[in-house]
Amino acid sequence: MAFFKHDNIDFYYEDDANSGIPFIFLHGLGGSTEQTAGLMKATPGIRRIVIDFRGHGRTRYFGDKSMLSFNQFADDVKALIDFLKLEKFYLGGISTGAGVSLNFALRHPENMERLILSRPAWEDCPQPEMIQKAFQEVYQILNDSAITDKKSAYKQKEIYQTMNQLSSYAGETLLGQFDYPYATETSLKLVCIPTDCPNSDRDEWKKLNIPTLILGSHLDPLHPYEYGELLHKYIPHSEFKQITSKTVSGKLHATESYEAIQSFLINKY
């Protein structure tokens, strides 16, 4: 276990210290290093680095509500890079982590060698009202002390039933927000992040001069396939690859994600 202090917060991170260019891999909303380290297994030639965002995983504290934003999360990643004194690195993420990676690439492109956006969940605006509502109702239930069985209460909500019908994986993801030990005290992230966005002008994507891999899958309303296609259309030097949806097979999804990332980072120059 390793921590570094930034903004008076102890950030948890893992660095497998393998030889090769460092790859910083960022998790999704409500996730942790277990998600990214679990998908991106130790790989020869890749120095895998993962971090828990503020208010996630072992980085329990987040500071003020205003700090729950893409800009701040990207600045936290920059602090880790400075702490580790990385001269060159790859950067990527899943869902919210993809948004943070995009934000970072637009604001701090220096020394970035490659960019990976896995299952992007944002365009250049906040998430759709349906997604915002799904997370806001999780927030409301978490903060209602009169509700004892919070998962059961959420399952009764129309928005959950709608999302679950669209994708069983989406339903599982939303219910998973209740499993975090500090879910209630960090629940503001479920309101702040969906109403924020990585950036607000897609034309800025055209300025990226970094080889980029974009991964997308169908049957995933939290991470629409069309968002991946849109990013691919605007980002020069980008490659878009379809992977199996978690709704179809979590095992195939993980295998295909890893193989695509590993190939992009090591084999394609």
Side-chain angles (χ1 to χ4, degrees):
M1 296 177 62
F3 291 86
F4 80 102
K5 188 172 287 292
H6 164 62
D7 197 24
N8 293 318
I9 294 173
D10 290 321
F11 284 82
Y12 178 78
Y13 75 98
E14 296 177 10
D15 179 356
D16 67 13
N18 279 352
S19 60
I21 295 181
F23 172 42
I24 305 163
F25 197 28
L26 307 175
H27 63 76
L29 181 62
S32 70
T33 54
E34 291 184 6
Q35 179 188 31
T36 43
L39 190 149
M40 191 63 199
K41 56 189 176 183
T43 303
I46 296 177
R47 177 182 170 186
R48 183 195 62 196
I49 300 169
V50 294
I51 179 176
D52 283 339
F53 292 136
R54 55 177 69 210
H56 290 75
R58 295 180 177 90
T59 309
R60 174 179 176 181
Y61 301 104
F62 60 86
D64 185 78
K65 174 183 177 180
S66 64
M67 301 299 182
L68 294 168
S69 71
F70 282 98
N71 278 351
Q72 185 59 59
F73 283 14
D75 287 347
D76 295 339
V77 173
K78 179 68 163 56
L80 175 63
I81 289 167
D82 293 343
F83 173 76
L84 295 175
K85 299 178 180 176
L86 305 180
E87 295 182 358
K88 294 182 179 181
F89 56 90
Y90 305 137
L91 179 65
I94 304 167
S95 187
T96 295
V100 175
S101 298
L102 177 62
N103 178 291
F104 188 102
L106 292 170
R107 297 169 57 224
H108 307 290
E110 57 278 2
N111 302 323
M112 275 190 67
E113 297 283 311
R114 301 210 163 202
L115 173 64
I116 294 174
L117 307 176
S118 179
R119 293 187 296 136
W122 276 262
E123 298 177 287
D124 52 347
C125 56
Q127 290 190 304
E129 288 186 10
M130 182 175 72
I131 305 300
Q132 291 186 34
K133 182 178 180 182
F135 283 108
Q136 285 169 352
E137 294 211 11
V138 175
Y139 168 81
Q140 291 168 358
I141 289 174
L142 283 170
N143 287 277
D144 188 338
S145 58
I147 299 176
T148 54
D149 189 343
K150 298 184 183 298
K151 275 191 176 183
S152 293
Y154 189 65
K155 285 182 178 180
Q156 301 306 311
K157 296 290 185 178
E158 181 180 355
I159 187 63
Y160 165 77
Q161 295 171 7
T162 297
M163 295 296 293
N164 193 52
Q165 287 174 357
L166 290 171
S167 164
S168 59
Y169 164 69
E172 291 171 6
T173 298
L174 292 165
L175 286 177
Q177 301 297 330
F178 294 97
D179 294 332
Y180 181 43
Y182 309 111
T184 300
E185 64 188 77
T186 63
S187 59
L188 277 171
K189 67 193 178 193
L190 304 178
V191 176
C192 295
I193 298 300
T195 55
D196 192 20
C197 55
N199 79 304
S200 57
D201 182 1
R202 67 187 62 182
D203 282 334
E204 293 181 5
W205 304 347
K206 297 177 182 178
K207 301 175 184 178
L208 287 172
N209 191 31
I210 304 167
T212 302
L213 173 66
I214 303 165
L215 302 178
S217 57
H218 292 290
L219 303 176
D220 189 348
L222 294 175
H223 313 92
Y225 185 82
E226 294 76 17
Y227 290 7
E229 291 182 312
L230 180 67
L231 284 157
H232 175 50
K233 177 181 177 181
Y234 277 79
I235 298 177
H237 318 296
S238 66
E239 172 186 350
F240 180 60
K241 186 175 181 61
Q242 180 179 343
I243 53 177
T244 298
S245 169
K246 280 192 170 184
T247 296
V248 175
S249 171
K251 183 177 181 180
L252 269 179
H253 175 88
T255 298
E256 292 174 7
S257 296
Y258 170 76
E259 289 177 350
I261 293 171
Q262 189 265 355
S263 176
F264 181 71
L265 295 184
I266 291 182
N267 299 328
K268 293 188 176 181
Y269 287 90

